[in-house]
Amino acid sequence: MSIIISAFDRSPDGGRGLARDTRVRWALEEVGVDYGVRPVAWQAMQEPAHLARHPFGQIPTFEDGGLTLFESGAIVFHIADRHASLLPEAPEARARAISWMFAALNTVEPPILDIQTAMFQEGEQPWAKARMPLIHERVRGRLRQLAARLGDADWLDGAFSAGDLLMVSVLLRLRSSGLLDEFANLAAYVARGEARPAYRRAFEAQRAFNTRPQSAG
Ligand code: GTB
């Protein structure tokens, strides 16, 4: 097995699939490529060996022979670019699918991440409670636009693509907020993504990994 990805030794979410190795696992499952997982403990994330793979000391990373990549979007793009099925062959359709990849990561994910930041990093601040409704409203604005574009289509632009893979991955992080359920077509879109056999395999693999018995030493 030549591909190795890195993941939290044990994700803080306990295997709910919210850490970003899940989207990389999903892409690898979609294209049918085996991979191994390098667990990275918290203290090891900022040590030289991991920093050599990831300059910001994060997960996921991707190694294939002499190639090492970081950034989940770049990794998913690399996988999609080198295997059939996650990006259309036709140049214009391919370019549109890549636009959706960027839109997921650059336009839709940032306000969603603000929810997590407000809860976990800023929750103790005196202004934290007042900020949350503003963040929710920004997320709603994006979801409204995305819902309008998706309409009653199954996927964002024709067949399922890496753009959908990243968009569904990003939207999944909203589930506990209840915001996704305000948009029935987006909730159904995410459910379609989760129902894909490749997603199920990726989810189960990360869950098994994150709930594996701790070794004694
Ligand atoms: N832009 C980068 C990418 O897309 O790859 C962002 C990578 C990133 O934020 N990685 C996080 C990380 O390594 C893990 S995924 N954090 C440690 C650090 O920065 O020191 C984010 C994440 C973490 C935990 C949960 N959770 O437990 O629910 C969900 C998501």
Side-chain angles (χ1 to χ4, degrees), residues 8 11-13 18-20 42 45 57-60 71-72 173:
F8 285 128
S11 175
D13 72 4
L18 299 174
R20 288 180 178 82
W42 277 107
M45 296 187 86
Q58 296 181 315
I59 62 94
E71 282 296 333
S72 60
R173 297 184 74 174

Side-chain angles (χ1 to χ4, degrees), residues 51-67:
L51 287 171
R53 290 185 284 269
H54 196 308
F56 307 111
Q58 296 181 315
I59 62 94
T61 60
F62 170 102
E63 293 154 76
D64 185 6
L67 175 67

Side-chain angles (χ1 to χ4, degrees), residues 74-112:
I75 297 168
V76 170
F77 175 72
H78 175 77
I79 295 164
D81 196 40
R82 271 157 186 74
H83 300 88
S85 83
L86 279 177
L87 284 173
E89 288 293 320
E92 291 190 356
R94 193 177 183 88
R96 286 196 303 272
I98 293 169
S99 294
W100 280 115
M101 296 179 72
F102 277 87
L105 301 179
N106 286 356
T107 303
V108 179
E109 190 166 48
I112 293 176

